[in-house]
Amino acid sequence: MDNIEKKLYQDLNEDITIPEKCEEVIRESLKTKRKHYSLIKVVSTACASLMITAGVVYAGTKVAETIWKKPERVVGDLESSITEEEMKGIMSENEAKSKAEDLLKKFDYDEEKIETIKLEKDTFDSKISWIAETNSNISITFDAYDKEKEALYLFNGDCLRKNIENCHTTKEDAEKTARDLCEKFGYDLSEYDYVEVSANLENEKEAYIWYVNFYKEYDGLVDKFNSIDIAFVPEINEIYYFIVEEEKFENNPVEITEEQAKETALEAERKTGISYEVKNTEIELGIVEMNGGAYLRTTDYEQFCEQSKLNYPEEQYIEYLTEKRIRKAWKVMIEYDVPINETFNENFNNQDLGYIYYIDATTGEIIGGEEYNKPIISK
């Protein structure tokens, strides 16, 4: 569970009415947290095989270096302790406290006093962060190594404990308020061209928390790994959370065609041995994060299915860890023709419904994937 999930669970306890939007975020996050993604290099000729061994693959008529490396297999949670090697280069506690104090002032929390500050290693992706908490349940999380990095997670835990149910606004004004808050706190939105606005309640007139996400765009593709996400209470304009995501996007060129990507995904999917007929494939270009999910799906489909079941033992869970790389890829959705009555069978596994493969737009390699999440549709 990462920092945002931990804080949401801590803030949204049994004594507080949980906003519908927060319920949705937590539910979807938990449902998709354990993705299984990966790779299968499809080599159609002996020549291509030789190129693979040399560290290159064909991308149309051009030759591109391979980027995929065999992932590391991990069983159970990742190690949470920080090694001596990992401690090298981490900013000191005094430096971290100073940065946290500067951030509190930046967000107009001048009177807040830091009560605790600690290092934490995420057991999902091994990311190491400093986490500072104040006397008023405000927490700030930031990278433990880079003092200049803008990425941060700020949470105002007391926000939901106030009488905020009568604080309302419109969707248009919510976006304007979020822009004003970014300007107030010193964040330039000139490079963030894509905006999503939503509320905590389906009836927007009754909503009292608004969520505004600003994303960068490249060639018309939304980059959700570089964003500014704000949740606030309208009228009083109090921040619930302010998140800055900052990841390196490689902006790799598109050299692989849709048809090549589709064939690569279908070839990989045959390794699962699923007996149903493919009824639909959809493909779109997107910006994705490399992961090991497709690797597990295509090398051990039985395990892939078993650990997707509710209450599967955490200590038996298998992850395949890859480099953290953000790239353009073709997202190829494969959907099976599953009779609706079979989905009610006790032994039916939802993984048989389909899958979405990530095919690198430059090299044509499978660099990950995500679980199929469409509603069940049957002829």
Side-chain angles (χ1 to χ4, degrees), residues 135-154:
N135 52 300
S136 297
N137 198 28
I138 293 172
S139 72
I140 299 180
T141 302
F142 51 87
D143 185 79
Y145 294 94
D146 191 345
K147 300 176 187 176
E148 305 301 322
K149 193 170 184 179
E150 291 283 346
L152 65 89
Y153 296 73
L154 182 148

Side-chain angles (χ1 to χ4, degrees), residues 256-268 270 278 280-283 330 332-334 359:
I256 297 297
T257 67
E258 288 188 36
E259 190 59 32
Q260 288 173 318
K262 177 181 174 180
E263 289 303 315
T264 298
L266 288 171
E267 179 66 26
R270 293 187 188 101
V278 173
N280 184 38
T281 57
E282 295 179 13
I283 183 168
W330 291 105
V332 183
M333 185 200 74
I334 299 173
I359 312 299

Side-chain angles (χ1 to χ4, degrees), residues 101-304:
E101 289 171 341
D102 289 342
L103 286 170
L104 286 170
K105 292 176 183 176
K106 180 176 183 175
F107 287 94
D108 290 343
Y109 297 121
D110 303 74
E111 303 302 317
E112 290 295 317
K113 302 298 181 183
I114 295 176
E115 290 193 339
T116 63
I117 186 164
K118 62 181 180 179
L119 275 174
E120 185 170 290
K121 181 177 180 180
D122 195 296
T123 56
F124 176 68
D125 61 7
S126 295
K127 183 177 181 180
I128 301 174
S129 304
W130 278 106
I131 303 175
E133 298 208 7
T134 74
N135 52 300
S136 297
N137 198 28
I138 293 172
S139 72
I140 299 180
T141 302
F142 51 87
D143 185 79
Y145 294 94
D146 191 345
K147 300 176 187 176
E148 305 301 322
K149 193 170 184 179
E150 291 283 346
L152 65 89
Y153 296 73
L154 182 148
F155 291 89
N156 178 2
D158 277 350
C159 178
L160 299 181
R161 293 175 171 82
K162 298 181 180 180
N163 184 20
I164 60 177
E165 286 80 3
N166 294 320
C167 297
H168 308 300
T169 190
T170 64
K171 189 172 187 177
E172 292 74 19
D173 285 343
E175 180 178 342
K176 183 180 183 302
T177 299
R179 289 184 179 277
D180 291 343
L181 288 170
C182 284
E183 182 178 358
K184 176 183 178 181
F185 299 139
Y187 290 92
D188 182 5
L189 292 175
S190 61
E191 295 184 358
Y192 296 82
D193 298 321
Y194 188 83
V195 186
E196 290 180 343
V197 184
S198 58
N200 69 310
L201 297 178
E202 186 174 351
N203 185 344
E204 293 182 352
K205 291 182 179 180
E206 297 179 359
Y208 50 89
I209 298 178
W210 282 84
Y211 310 88
V212 184
N213 304 327
F214 300 96
Y215 301 106
K216 291 186 177 182
E217 273 190 305
Y218 298 89
D219 303 322
L221 302 177
V222 179
D223 178 6
K224 294 199 172 184
F225 303 95
N226 286 280
S227 65
I228 296 177
D229 307 326
I230 308 172
F232 68 94
V233 179
E235 296 189 23
I236 62 174
N237 294 345
E238 184 165 0
I239 295 291
Y240 171 47
Y241 65 67
F242 196 104
I243 301 172
V244 180
E245 296 280 6
E246 185 183 51
E247 300 290 351
K248 179 184 176 182
F249 169 51
E250 299 181 34
N251 202 10
N252 52 303
V254 179
E255 303 289 354
I256 297 297
T257 67
E258 288 188 36
E259 190 59 32
Q260 288 173 318
K262 177 181 174 180
E263 289 303 315
T264 298
L266 288 171
E267 179 66 26
E269 184 66 4
R270 293 187 188 101
K271 295 178 183 273
T272 64
I274 294 175
S275 58
Y276 300 112
E277 293 292 325
V278 173
K279 75 171 181 179
N280 184 38
T281 57
E282 295 179 13
I283 183 168
E284 65 177 359
L285 194 63
I287 296 174
V288 306
E289 180 178 0
M290 181 184 287
N291 58 69
Y295 186 84
L296 175 59
R297 181 179 176 91
T298 54
T299 57
D300 192 347
Y301 186 62
E302 182 178 354
Q303 174 66 27
F304 183 84

Side-chain angles (χ1 to χ4, degrees), residues 38-44 48 51-52 55-69 250-257 260-261 264 285 288 290 325 327-330 358-368:
S38 179
L39 108 117
I40 292 128
K41 297 174 185 172
V42 178
V43 184
S44 59
M51 298 302 286
I52 288 289
V56 294
V57 294
Y58 277 115
T61 58
K62 299 182 180 180
V63 177
E65 292 185 3
T66 60
I67 62 167
W68 179 264
K69 298 176 183 177
E250 299 181 34
N251 202 10
N252 52 303
V254 179
E255 303 289 354
I256 297 297
T257 67
Q260 288 173 318
T264 298
L285 194 63
V288 306
M290 181 184 287
R325 302 185 69 165
R327 292 174 61 88
K328 287 180 187 173
W330 291 105
Y358 297 165
I359 312 299
D360 190 90
T362 305
T363 69
E365 299 165 280
I366 296 177
I367 60 171

Side-chain angles (χ1 to χ4, degrees), residues 5-23:
E5 290 167 343
K6 289 176 183 175
K7 194 62 182 173
L8 285 170
Y9 269 114
Q10 176 180 325
D11 291 344
L12 303 176
N13 57 48
E14 293 180 355
D15 299 326
I16 298 172
T17 301
I18 301 177
E20 292 176 5
K21 179 65 178 180
C22 288
E23 285 189 311

